[in-house]
Amino acid sequence: MSKPLRLLLALLPLVALVALLGVFALNINRDPSLIQSVLIDKPAPQFTLPAVEGTGVPGFDTAALAGEVTVVNVFASWCIPCRDEHPVLEALKAQTGVRLFGMNQKDAAENAVAFLTELGNPYDAIGADANGRTSIDWGVYGVPETFIVDAKGVIRFKHVGPLEMDDIAKEIIPAIEKAKQS
């Protein structure tokens, strides 16, 4: 092997590392909630989720999303940010009265019930996504994530990560109002 070729092969990992560092540096201040879903302005995927036993509310399916604007929140009892987000969901429900459905991802029913017993249950329906398949179909990156679905069952908005109180006025209520006009 020639000396220039050996030098080139030796420098290749360094060039790749510098390129990777450049990508990270350019995205360091990027807001993770700005991850766009390919499902925005498309009908919600077809699914059926059974109720989480012991919650006292039904499960839900694609057809249940039709008829009025619905906020769908993906959560789990094992998710620390979900615990932080929970008071925001309760405030959202109290302020707007919007239908709020929960998609309980990869969670044991008894853990979900304990979580909701401790923190309160703002959900009108909770579907058990035991294997995470429905979450994948919805394009969920991780819990928590929140979607707004219009009365026709079309996904109009997605928020990645835990909601905070100021998100209600800044993002969620405007997105609900926009979905009502769809």
Side-chain angles (χ1 to χ4, degrees), residues 88-165:
V88 178
L89 295 172
E90 290 187 312
L92 173 66
K93 182 70 175 174
Q95 286 178 30
T96 66
V98 70
R99 266 194 330 179
L100 180 59
F101 288 3
M103 191 180 298
N104 187 233
Q105 187 189 58
K106 297 181 180 180
D107 209 355
E110 59 273 11
N111 294 340
V113 169
F115 178 86
L116 295 169
T117 300
E118 177 186 345
L119 300 176
N121 184 1
Y123 299 107
D124 298 299
I126 304 172
D129 187 14
N131 62 6
R133 180 74 237 171
T134 300
S135 299
I136 290 169
D137 291 345
W138 278 65
V140 172
Y141 293 93
V143 290
E145 289 190 18
T146 304
F147 298 84
I148 297 175
V149 181
D150 72 13
K152 297 173 191 158
V154 175
I155 298 171
R156 297 296 179 182
F157 178 84
K158 177 180 180 180
H159 179 92
V160 176
L163 291 170
E164 297 180 8
M165 284 297 183

Side-chain angles (χ1 to χ4, degrees), residues 30-61:
R30 188 166 174 243
D31 183 351
S33 68
L34 296 178
I35 298 171
Q36 289 299 313
S37 171
V38 296
L39 296 178
I40 299 296
D41 297 329
K42 292 191 171 71
Q46 293 294 313
F47 69 96
T48 300
L49 293 175
V52 175
E53 290 185 35
T55 61
V57 296
F60 66 104
D61 59 15

